[in-house]
Amino acid sequence: MRTYNVNVNGVAVKTTVTDSVSFVDSFITELILSCNYTNSSSSRPPIIGFDVEFTESAIDGIKAATLQICSGSRCIIIQLNKTRANNSVPQSLINFLAAPLFCFVGVGIFQSLALLKREHGIECRNVVDLRLMLNMAVARGAVELEPKPLSVVTGDWVLRILAWSKSRVLLLMLFLF
């Protein structure tokens, strides 16, 4: 497990890369407790950034390698390829993603969720795909997109601990979209 502090547009984002079930449990508990449900004037659920990176092999096909979750200035990159090896995708993660109390947002989120459901039985109840909004922002010139770095596309997600540069790229993709 590694934790990095990443500066994203002046915001310090604490990012942890892990395959530890107990750390995922703790992170999710802290995230849930940090949400303010007592404010009855807001009927909107907390928004959680969501992204998945994949590996592909001739033998196994496409598999989810990492799952990134970001809320406010706190992010976690869960190495699913490591938890899968231990047959231990955290139940807290499965329950959290299925809870209707949160809104999970990401670009291409439906494709990611289809793969997660097939591999792990993971489902998400409250999802918004930002692809259309992102495409509109690009068309209006409000946002410029750069292609995903080759190191991410062809990344070695099997590494025990992701390198700082790879972790930072994942965080920036999640946080900025």
Side-chain angles (χ1 to χ4, degrees):
M1 178 172 66
R2 283 244 168 104
T3 299
Y4 305 104
N5 288 307
V6 182
N7 185 326
V8 181
N9 294 334
V11 176
V13 180
K14 185 176 178 181
T15 305
T16 301
V17 180
T18 188
D19 64 349
S20 164
V21 171
S22 63
F23 186 83
V24 172
D25 291 343
S26 296
F27 178 88
I28 289 172
T29 299
E30 287 176 26
L31 192 147
I32 291 168
L33 292 174
S34 72
C35 295
N36 183 1
Y37 294 108
T38 60
N39 183 359
S40 60
S41 65
S42 177
S43 60
R44 289 175 270 158
I47 296 173
I48 311 294
F50 179 97
D51 196 17
V52 176
E53 295 303 324
F54 306 95
T55 59
E56 185 173 4
S57 75
I59 297 169
D60 295 329
I62 298 174
K63 297 271 188 188
T66 65
L67 173 88
Q68 297 89 244
I69 297 173
C70 189
S71 178
S73 62
R74 190 73 177 92
C75 294
I76 186 170
I77 300 172
I78 303 166
Q79 292 179 289
L80 289 174
N81 52 350
K82 297 297 180 185
T83 61
R84 179 175 46 242
N86 300 329
N87 290 325
S88 57
V89 172
Q91 188 63 44
S92 61
L93 176 63
I94 293 168
N95 295 342
F96 174 66
L97 294 173
L101 301 172
F102 304 95
C103 180
F104 297 93
V105 300
V107 176
I109 194 169
F110 292 115
Q111 294 87 343
S112 297
L113 286 170
L115 185 62
L116 288 175
K117 182 175 182 178
R118 187 188 77 207
E119 282 185 43
H120 303 288
I122 295 174
E123 296 189 70
C124 231
R125 292 188 57 182
N126 204 1
V127 177
V128 176
D129 194 322
L130 300 176
R131 184 178 308 274
L132 180 60
M133 186 184 315
L134 179 62
N135 290 342
M136 289 170 51
V138 169
R140 291 183 180 157
V143 174
E144 288 185 34
L145 288 183
E146 294 181 21
K148 207 179 259 192
L150 190 59
S151 65
V152 172
V153 174
T154 61
D156 182 4
W157 302 114
V158 180
L159 295 174
R160 177 92 180 138
I161 296 182
L162 294 178
W164 156 247
S165 59
K166 200 164 280 191
S167 299
R168 185 174 186 278
V169 167
L170 289 175
L171 169 66
L172 290 173
M173 289 183 330
L174 177 62
F175 198 84
L176 297 176
F177 297 113

